[in-house]
Amino acid sequence: MRALLVVNPAATTTSARTRDVLIHALASDLKLEVAATEHRGHARELARRAAQDRDVELVVALGGDGTVNEVANGLLHDGPDPEGLPRLAVVPGGSTNVFARALGLPNHPVEATGVLLDALREGRERTVGLGLASGTPGSEDEGVPARWFTFCAGLGFDAGVVGRVEQQRERGRRSTHALYVRQVLRQFAGEEHRRHGTISVHRPGGSGGAEVVPDLALAVVCNTSPWTFLGNRPIYATPRASFDTGLDLLGLTRLSPTAVARYGTQLLMSSPERGPHGRHALSLHDLSEFTLQSQVPLPFQVDGDHLGLRTSVNFTGVRRALRVIV
């Protein structure tokens, strides 16, 4: 099998020696081409070329969730074609690796490589659904390029946290769970709209109308569950979210200290059976299409990648978008 291995040399949890071992192991079973990313967006370019090269059957992403997201976007540049596109495989190399772990893969890159090779020998794969975020027609964000996401997107508070973490990493800080916790506290302290939300959810209704849910202070869109991990603890914002359904949404109408304490505790104690719930929590399941609109520009993120400020984002849940080795 001809395969392309896309390596992020800056991946948080893999050393050059570890990457050499992984490359050697994969090359023993595959006709392997190795490409190291050199700049932001490079993994997307490499995967796009692989998708256009009909001889490549498999693209392996060695890196964190950002690398995986870029590879998925490259493969899907011309749209979903599960039977015609190369399959995607993931070797986790980041600090959190939500997508890989949601697929049931080990969080250790060497163990995950062993599972990947076994899966290839045994022909184990699945076709997963993904989310697509795009500009809303008629809005000031209409021309924003569409972006696929593998596990989550967020408008508002959580995206602000992601932006703060990225700023710290650019200053040389390591991406650790402690860093995320600190930035959550700082984002909360500086949040202007925590008591009166500016986000509304618009989704198609009957007879050509639309259903609108207003006044959200936070909106997280999930394509799978868990939403993220705190160390080894899975966090279930939307427990019913799945790679086999549409998108799920968790919204909070208030981010007061009391509400944050309540829902933060519920997130920490969440399980596959129950996520955040209560008077100020909105949970929507298996959505095919909807729009998030804000009265003011808010931070926006997909798969932990901060994409700047948005006032409106269209979301589409695309079932059976990509084949993945499991």
Side-chain angles (χ1 to χ4, degrees):
M1 178 183 294
R2 186 179 172 196
L4 170 67
L5 174 64
V6 178
V7 179
N8 179 2
T12 307
T13 60
T14 58
S15 64
R17 178 174 295 181
T18 300
R19 290 192 291 272
D20 288 342
V21 170
L22 300 180
I23 290 170
H24 181 76
L26 292 170
S28 66
D29 278 31
L30 300 167
K31 185 178 180 182
L32 191 68
E33 176 187 352
V34 181
T37 59
E38 299 174 357
H39 53 80
R40 188 168 183 165
H42 194 193
R44 180 173 185 163
E45 297 167 9
L46 293 167
R48 178 183 177 183
R49 288 201 292 268
Q52 294 170 342
D53 184 348
R54 292 299 179 179
D55 291 332
V56 176
E57 301 172 72
L58 175 70
V59 177
V60 184
L62 171 51
D65 287 310
T67 303
V68 174
N69 179 275
E70 285 196 16
V71 168
N73 273 274
L75 290 173
L76 294 168
H77 178 81
D78 294 320
D81 181 9
E83 302 307 317
L85 290 172
R87 288 164 286 178
L88 170 67
V90 179
V91 177
S95 59
T96 310
N97 308 305
V98 178
F99 181 66
R101 295 164 82 174
L103 288 171
L105 297 174
N107 198 38
H108 193 281
V110 175
E111 294 177 13
T113 300
V115 170
L116 167 59
L117 291 172
D118 287 343
L120 289 170
R121 295 179 189 124
E122 297 168 12
R124 296 199 311 265
E125 63 179 56
R126 64 181 292 191
T127 303
V128 299
L130 299 178
L132 180 65
S134 57
T136 304
S139 75
E140 61 186 47
D141 295 320
E142 179 177 8
V144 174
R147 182 77 170 260
W148 293 90
F149 58 96
T150 62
F151 62 90
C152 83
L155 183 66
F157 183 85
D158 76 302
V161 173
V162 168
R164 287 176 178 271
V165 170
E166 286 191 3
Q167 289 177 351
Q168 294 298 314
R169 293 189 66 183
E170 290 171 358
R171 295 170 184 168
R173 301 285 181 85
R174 285 179 56 83
S175 179
T176 63
H177 299 294
L179 176 63
Y180 273 90
V181 171
R182 288 196 300 271
Q183 301 315 312
V184 166
L185 296 175
R186 289 173 180 171
Q187 180 67 22
F188 175 74
E191 181 62 49
E192 299 178 22
H193 310 289
R194 63 190 185 194
R195 292 187 180 274
H196 304 286
T198 67
I199 304 169
S200 56
V201 185
H202 300 250
R203 53 180 179 153
S207 302
E211 297 178 9
V212 180
V213 180
D215 303 330
L216 299 181
L218 173 150
V220 176
V221 181
C222 295
N223 184 53
T224 188
S225 194
W227 165 45
T228 188
F229 291 80
L230 188 60
N232 289 321
R233 180 190 291 274
I235 305 297
Y236 298 91
T238 54
R240 293 188 293 166
S242 166
F243 289 127
D244 299 318
T245 63
L247 300 174
D248 281 27
L249 171 73
L250 171 67
L252 299 180
T253 58
R254 177 173 289 189
L255 289 177
S256 66
T258 301
V260 168
R262 178 188 301 117
Y263 294 117
T265 300
Q266 289 181 359
L267 277 171
L268 290 174
M269 301 300 293
S270 61
S271 70
E273 289 74 39
R274 194 170 200 188
H277 53 278
R279 187 159 59 101
H280 299 295
L282 169 72
S283 183
L284 299 175
H285 174 59
D286 195 11
L287 304 177
S288 296
E289 187 174 359
F290 63 97
T291 301
L292 293 180
Q293 292 184 351
S294 173
Q295 299 168 26
V296 298
L298 293 177
F300 177 59
Q301 65 88 14
V302 297
D303 286 351
D305 187 9
H306 188 267
L307 298 183
L309 301 179
R310 299 284 191 274
T311 55
S312 186
V313 186
N314 270 16
F315 290 92
T316 307
V318 181
R319 289 174 170 82
R320 297 187 56 80
L322 198 61
R323 289 186 300 166
V324 180
I325 303 298
V326 292

